[in-house]
PDB file of all heavy atoms in Angstrom:
ATOM      1  N   VAL A 259     -86.556 -28.958 -36.249  1.00 98.00           N
ATOM      2  CA  VAL A 259     -87.308 -28.884 -34.989  1.00 98.00           C
ATOM      3  C   VAL A 259     -86.900 -27.630 -34.209  1.00 98.00           C
ATOM      4  O   VAL A 259     -87.750 -26.909 -33.657  1.00 98.00           O
ATOM      5  CB  VAL A 259     -87.082 -30.167 -34.152  1.00 98.00           C
ATOM      6  CG1 VAL A 259     -87.628 -30.000 -32.744  1.00 98.00           C
ATOM      7  CG2 VAL A 259     -87.719 -31.370 -34.828  1.00 98.00           C
ATOM      8  N   ALA A 260     -85.589 -27.363 -34.172  1.00 98.00           N
ATOM      9  CA  ALA A 260     -85.108 -26.179 -33.443  1.00 98.00           C
ATOM     10  C   ALA A 260     -85.720 -24.909 -34.028  1.00 98.00           C
ATOM     11  O   ALA A 260     -86.197 -24.031 -33.299  1.00 98.00           O
ATOM     12  CB  ALA A 260     -83.583 -26.117 -33.511  1.00 98.00           C
ATOM     13  N   GLN A 261     -85.735 -24.824 -35.355  1.00 98.00           N
ATOM     14  CA  GLN A 261     -86.291 -23.629 -36.011  1.00 98.00           C
ATOM     15  C   GLN A 261     -87.790 -23.513 -35.724  1.00 98.00           C
ATOM     16  O   GLN A 261     -88.304 -22.416 -35.468  1.00 98.00           O
ATOM     17  CB  GLN A 261     -86.045 -23.702 -37.526  1.00 98.00           C
ATOM     18  CG  GLN A 261     -86.413 -22.418 -38.277  1.00 98.00           C
ATOM     19  CD  GLN A 261     -85.524 -21.250 -37.869  1.00 98.00           C
ATOM     20  OE1 GLN A 261     -84.314 -21.305 -38.041  1.00 98.00           O
ATOM     21  NE2 GLN A 261     -86.123 -20.217 -37.297  1.00 98.00           N
ATOM     22  N   PHE A 262     -88.470 -24.657 -35.719  1.00 98.00           N
ATOM     23  CA  PHE A 262     -89.911 -24.659 -35.460  1.00 98.00           C
ATOM     24  C   PHE A 262     -90.206 -24.143 -34.047  1.00 98.00           C
ATOM     25  O   PHE A 262     -91.097 -23.305 -33.846  1.00 98.00           O
ATOM     26  CB  PHE A 262     -90.460 -26.085 -35.637  1.00 98.00           C
ATOM     27  CG  PHE A 262     -91.892 -26.239 -35.233  1.00 98.00           C
ATOM     28  CD1 PHE A 262     -92.916 -25.804 -36.071  1.00 98.00           C
ATOM     29  CD2 PHE A 262     -92.229 -26.787 -33.995  1.00 98.00           C
ATOM     30  CE1 PHE A 262     -94.235 -25.927 -35.675  1.00 98.00           C
ATOM     31  CE2 PHE A 262     -93.552 -26.912 -33.604  1.00 98.00           C
ATOM     32  CZ  PHE A 262     -94.558 -26.476 -34.446  1.00 98.00           C
ATOM     33  N   ILE A 263     -89.444 -24.634 -33.087  1.00 98.00           N
ATOM     34  CA  ILE A 263     -89.673 -24.199 -31.690  1.00 98.00           C
ATOM     35  C   ILE A 263     -89.366 -22.707 -31.554  1.00 98.00           C
ATOM     36  O   ILE A 263     -90.117 -21.953 -30.924  1.00 98.00           O
ATOM     37  CB  ILE A 263     -88.827 -25.052 -30.710  1.00 98.00           C
ATOM     38  CG1 ILE A 263     -89.333 -26.500 -30.719  1.00 98.00           C
ATOM     39  CG2 ILE A 263     -88.883 -24.478 -29.296  1.00 98.00           C
ATOM     40  CD1 ILE A 263     -88.460 -27.480 -29.954  1.00 98.00           C
ATOM     41  N   THR A 264     -88.264 -22.275 -32.161  1.00 98.00           N
ATOM     42  CA  THR A 264     -87.921 -20.851 -32.101  1.00 98.00           C
ATOM     43  C   THR A 264     -89.034 -20.009 -32.732  1.00 98.00           C
ATOM     44  O   THR A 264     -89.458 -18.996 -32.156  1.00 98.00           O
ATOM     45  CB  THR A 264     -86.582 -20.598 -32.833  1.00 98.00           C
ATOM     46  OG1 THR A 264     -85.558 -21.318 -32.149  1.00 98.00           O
ATOM     47  CG2 THR A 264     -86.218 -19.123 -32.862  1.00 98.00           C
ATOM     48  N   ASP A 265     -89.507 -20.438 -33.887  1.00 98.00           N
ATOM     49  CA  ASP A 265     -90.554 -19.677 -34.581  1.00 98.00           C
ATOM     50  C   ASP A 265     -91.821 -19.570 -33.746  1.00 98.00           C
ATOM     51  O   ASP A 265     -92.536 -18.572 -33.818  1.00 98.00           O
ATOM     52  CB  ASP A 265     -90.896 -20.348 -35.930  1.00 98.00           C
ATOM     53  CG  ASP A 265     -89.748 -20.224 -36.920  1.00 98.00           C
ATOM     54  OD1 ASP A 265     -88.855 -19.382 -36.681  1.00 98.00           O
ATOM     55  OD2 ASP A 265     -89.735 -20.974 -37.919  1.00 98.00           O
ATOM     56  N   ASN A 266     -92.095 -20.613 -32.962  1.00 97.00           N
ATOM     57  CA  ASN A 266     -93.356 -20.643 -32.225  1.00 97.00           C
ATOM     58  C   ASN A 266     -93.256 -20.147 -30.780  1.00 97.00           C
ATOM     59  O   ASN A 266     -94.267 -19.774 -30.197  1.00 97.00           O
ATOM     60  CB  ASN A 266     -93.924 -22.068 -32.218  1.00 97.00           C
ATOM     61  CG  ASN A 266     -94.542 -22.432 -33.550  1.00 97.00           C
ATOM     62  OD1 ASN A 266     -95.698 -22.129 -33.819  1.00 97.00           O
ATOM     63  ND2 ASN A 266     -93.740 -23.041 -34.410  1.00 97.00           N
ATOM     64  N   MET A 267     -92.055 -20.185 -30.202  1.00 97.00           N
ATOM     65  CA  MET A 267     -91.968 -19.897 -28.762  1.00 97.00           C
ATOM     66  C   MET A 267     -91.041 -18.739 -28.398  1.00 97.00           C
ATOM     67  O   MET A 267     -91.062 -18.279 -27.257  1.00 97.00           O
ATOM     68  CB  MET A 267     -91.517 -21.156 -28.010  1.00 97.00           C
ATOM     69  CG  MET A 267     -92.476 -22.313 -28.148  1.00 97.00           C
ATOM     70  SD  MET A 267     -92.015 -23.716 -27.128  1.00 97.00           S
ATOM     71  CE  MET A 267     -92.476 -23.156 -25.496  1.00 97.00           C
ATOM     72  N   ALA A 268     -90.201 -18.280 -29.322  1.00 95.00           N
ATOM     73  CA  ALA A 268     -89.284 -17.188 -28.989  1.00 95.00           C
ATOM     74  C   ALA A 268     -90.094 -15.911 -28.714  1.00 95.00           C
ATOM     75  O   ALA A 268     -91.155 -15.736 -29.322  1.00 95.00           O
ATOM     76  CB  ALA A 268     -88.317 -16.958 -30.151  1.00 95.00           C
ATOM     77  N   PRO A 269     -89.677 -15.041 -27.830  1.00 93.00           N
ATOM     78  CA  PRO A 269     -88.388 -15.038 -27.124  1.00 93.00           C
ATOM     79  C   PRO A 269     -88.398 -15.794 -25.795  1.00 93.00           C
ATOM     80  O   PRO A 269     -87.416 -15.770 -25.073  1.00 93.00           O
ATOM     81  CB  PRO A 269     -88.153 -13.546 -26.892  1.00 93.00           C
ATOM     82  CG  PRO A 269     -89.527 -12.991 -26.699  1.00 93.00           C
ATOM     83  CD  PRO A 269     -90.435 -13.812 -27.567  1.00 93.00           C
ATOM     84  N   GLN A 270     -89.555 -16.432 -25.443  1.00 95.00           N
ATOM     85  CA  GLN A 270     -89.568 -17.162 -24.154  1.00 95.00           C
ATOM     86  C   GLN A 270     -88.618 -18.368 -24.222  1.00 95.00           C
ATOM     87  O   GLN A 270     -87.825 -18.597 -23.313  1.00 95.00           O
ATOM     88  CB  GLN A 270     -90.984 -17.655 -23.824  1.00 95.00           C
ATOM     89  CG  GLN A 270     -91.910 -16.595 -23.254  1.00 95.00           C
ATOM     90  CD  GLN A 270     -92.346 -15.601 -24.314  1.00 95.00           C
ATOM     91  OE1 GLN A 270     -92.558 -15.961 -25.471  1.00 95.00           O
ATOM     92  NE2 GLN A 270     -92.441 -14.329 -23.926  1.00 95.00           N
ATOM     93  N   VAL A 271     -88.741 -19.142 -25.269  1.00 97.00           N
ATOM     94  CA  VAL A 271     -87.899 -20.330 -25.432  1.00 97.00           C
ATOM     95  C   VAL A 271     -87.399 -20.386 -26.881  1.00 97.00           C
ATOM     96  O   VAL A 271     -88.162 -20.108 -27.809  1.00 97.00           O
ATOM     97  CB  VAL A 271     -88.686 -21.635 -25.127  1.00 97.00           C
ATOM     98  CG1 VAL A 271     -87.772 -22.851 -25.260  1.00 97.00           C
ATOM     99  CG2 VAL A 271     -89.298 -21.589 -23.735  1.00 97.00           C
ATOM    100  N   TYR A 272     -86.136 -20.753 -27.030  1.00 97.00           N
ATOM    101  CA  TYR A 272     -85.552 -20.953 -28.367  1.00 97.00           C
ATOM    102  C   TYR A 272     -85.312 -22.450 -28.581  1.00 97.00           C
ATOM    103  O   TYR A 272     -85.135 -23.202 -27.623  1.00 97.00           O
ATOM    104  CB  TYR A 272     -84.248 -20.171 -28.507  1.00 97.00           C
ATOM    105  CG  TYR A 272     -84.467 -18.679 -28.461  1.00 97.00           C
ATOM    106  CD1 TYR A 272     -84.506 -18.007 -27.245  1.00 97.00           C
ATOM    107  CD2 TYR A 272     -84.670 -17.952 -29.628  1.00 97.00           C
ATOM    108  CE1 TYR A 272     -84.730 -16.642 -27.191  1.00 97.00           C
ATOM    109  CE2 TYR A 272     -84.899 -16.587 -29.589  1.00 97.00           C
ATOM    110  CZ  TYR A 272     -84.932 -15.937 -28.375  1.00 97.00           C
ATOM    111  OH  TYR A 272     -85.169 -14.585 -28.326  1.00 97.00           O
ATOM    112  N   GLY A 273     -85.278 -22.836 -29.839  1.00 98.00           N
ATOM    113  CA  GLY A 273     -85.198 -24.257 -30.164  1.00 98.00           C
ATOM    114  C   GLY A 273     -83.930 -24.946 -29.682  1.00 98.00           C
ATOM    115  O   GLY A 273     -83.966 -26.087 -29.227  1.00 98.00           O
TER     116      GLY A 273
END
Side-chain angles (χ1 to χ4, degrees):
Chain A
V259 169
Q261 188 65 61
F262 173 78
I263 293 172
T264 297
D265 291 344
N266 284 275
M267 298 186 75
Q270 281 73 36
V271 182
Y272 294 86

